Amino acid sequence: MTEKVRESSLFIDDITEELDRVIIGQKQMISRLIIGLLSDGHVLLEGVPGLAKTLTISSLAKAINTGFQRIQFTPDLLPADLVGTLIFNQRTGEFTVKKGPVFSNIILADEINRSPAKVQSALLEAMQERQVTIGERTFPLDDPFLVLATQNPVEQEGTYPLPEAQVDRFMMKIKIDYPSESEEMEIMRRMARTTKKETPKAVVHPQTILEARNTINEIYIDKKVEQYIVNIVMATRSSAKYGIKKIQGLVEYGASPRGTINLNLAARAHAFIQHRAYVTPEDVRAVAYDILRHRIVLTYEAEAEEIQTEDIIESILSHIQVP
């Protein structure tokens, strides 16, 4: 199994090497996007404009040679603009289906929180059921199908908070920070040109991704590590049971069972990226923040004290015994 994982994960190095030619820094964002791709999980990226979120996602689609659609979410966007609609043909007297941009492999939902809830909810069926209903007909979506959404921080002008039901359907929420000083220097030197910028080449076939997902399902995860995952998620719901007094009264709602499932899947994918055939507690801890940060709802008291969900997760990880 170790040899099988080592051979089937070699393409990860090809993808990261190709993206490194285009993207400067943002190593964590790239690795988390690959984990989402391998785990068949949607990813939400949050950060101020200009941090290469859109460029990274479009570059990833080119590197794996798959279908890509960029949808710019605006306040006047309609659900039909997303999934498609029925068009009446006067000549035949029949309705024909016009499919929307959601019928692709990788969907970049750019600035998703600039559209009202009705439009955001139009993605729900596609994200969860991998299908779209137009009129009376239901159409399955191609595999792989992945929604990679970007959003601006909610404090910015003209943003609508995402509904909790939709946020929970994202496997991970990644917070993108500013580059370091050395990375900023390299960005300036490479990008401050009027000539055409370098674009990534296709280095992986989509079938390779689907085969890798089957291999990830076989990666070994010990019962103690499984219990560790359950303990972490349960602690977000009942901190008193685990003796974490520091966060008592600060969490309104804990992570849903999707958090447990996705923590397991992401830990396996993280081990796969490291070319390992087994999951360690370090794999779980590495992805815990991205899996749980959007699944914990804080109380008013926590918000008044300016406590972040990352503080809650840090307290839980420091208290739950590592196997």
Side-chain angles (χ1 to χ4, degrees):
M1 187 61 196
T2 301
E3 191 60 35
K4 181 181 180 181
V5 169
R6 193 172 292 139
E7 288 179 6
S8 61
S9 63
L10 288 175
F11 73 91
I12 299 293
D13 298 330
D14 296 332
I15 293 178
T16 51
E17 188 177 322
E18 193 62 26
L19 292 181
D20 284 345
R21 293 197 307 107
V22 182
I23 311 296
I24 299 158
Q26 303 295 8
K27 303 288 186 186
Q28 179 156 341
M29 172 167 60
I30 291 171
S31 73
R32 296 304 181 262
L33 287 176
I34 294 174
I35 286 173
L37 187 65
L38 294 173
S39 307
D40 196 19
H42 310 295
V43 181
L44 179 64
L45 300 96
E46 181 178 286
V48 296
L51 298 182
K53 300 186 296 294
T54 304
L55 176 63
T56 303
I57 294 170
S58 60
S59 299
L60 178 63
K62 290 174 184 172
I64 62 173
N65 193 27
T66 191
F68 172 71
Q69 283 285 355
R70 178 180 183 271
I71 306 169
Q72 184 66 49
F73 280 64
T74 56
D76 60 347
L77 193 73
L78 299 173
D81 299 328
L82 201 65
V83 299
T85 188
L86 293 172
I87 296 178
F88 183 71
N89 189 324
Q90 290 183 330
R91 188 174 299 173
T92 62
E94 295 178 346
F95 285 94
T96 56
V97 173
K98 182 184 178 184
K99 293 182 178 180
V102 79
F103 286 90
S104 190
N105 296 108
I106 292 183
I107 307 298
L108 167 55
D110 211 4
E111 296 189 303
I112 189 172
N113 62 335
R114 292 218 179 269
S115 287
K118 183 165 65 173
V119 179
Q120 296 168 5
S121 298
L123 271 178
L124 282 177
E125 183 185 18
M127 290 172 65
Q128 188 65 24
E129 308 297 335
R130 300 299 202 275
Q131 65 183 29
V132 167
T133 302
I134 304 174
E136 296 180 353
R137 295 178 61 188
T138 299
F139 302 90
L141 295 166
D142 293 336
D143 204 16
F145 174 75
L146 199 65
V147 174
L148 304 176
T150 69
Q151 73 171 11
N152 302 115
V154 291
E155 296 83 11
Q156 289 203 336
E157 288 283 333
T159 58
Y160 300 82
L162 292 176
E164 284 81 359
Q166 185 172 350
V167 169
D168 196 43
R169 279 168 169 78
F170 283 101
M171 180 183 196
M172 290 184 285
K173 179 182 177 181
I174 309 168
K175 285 198 171 181
I176 314 300
D177 208 349
Y178 288 108
S180 65
E181 186 177 339
S182 59
E183 289 170 347
E184 191 87 23
M185 180 67 75
E186 182 62 25
I187 290 169
M188 181 180 67
R189 288 173 175 167
R190 196 188 296 186
M191 300 297 182
R193 301 172 185 273
T194 55
T195 53
K196 189 178 179 181
K197 308 295 187 296
E198 199 166 358
T199 56
K201 303 181 184 71
V203 293
V204 176
H205 193 273
Q207 186 61 34
T208 307
I209 303 294
L210 300 179
E211 291 169 1
R213 288 179 179 176
N214 293 329
T215 304
I216 286 170
N217 290 333
E218 299 176 32
I219 286 179
Y220 175 73
I221 178 165
D222 192 81
K223 288 183 179 179
K224 291 181 180 178
V225 179
E226 288 180 331
Q227 187 61 53
Y228 182 55
I229 291 172
V230 171
N231 289 344
I232 289 172
V233 175
M234 293 296 290
T236 67
R237 306 172 195 168
S238 178
S239 57
K241 179 182 175 182
Y242 295 89
I244 313 175
K245 296 179 180 179
K246 187 178 179 182
I247 64 172
Q248 287 182 29
L250 300 179
V251 178
E252 187 76 35
Y253 301 108
S256 71
R258 280 198 191 102
T260 312
I261 296 166
N262 290 331
L263 201 48
N264 184 307
L265 275 171
R268 288 173 191 252
H270 190 269
F272 182 83
I273 287 176
Q274 307 297 322
H275 312 296
R276 270 190 284 104
Y278 57 91
V279 177
T280 67
E282 283 67 36
D283 292 317
V284 178
R285 295 171 70 88
V287 296
Y289 287 89
D290 301 307
I291 297 292
L292 298 176
R293 67 161 50 98
H294 57 300
R295 293 188 161 90
I296 297 173
V297 178
L298 301 176
T299 60
Y300 289 117
E301 180 185 345
E303 291 176 0
E305 295 179 15
E306 297 185 348
I307 291 172
Q308 305 292 322
T309 53
E310 285 84 357
D311 302 324
I312 304 295
I313 299 167
E314 184 181 356
S315 295
I316 290 171
L317 293 179
S318 62
H319 277 79
I320 299 296
Q321 186 176 357
V322 180

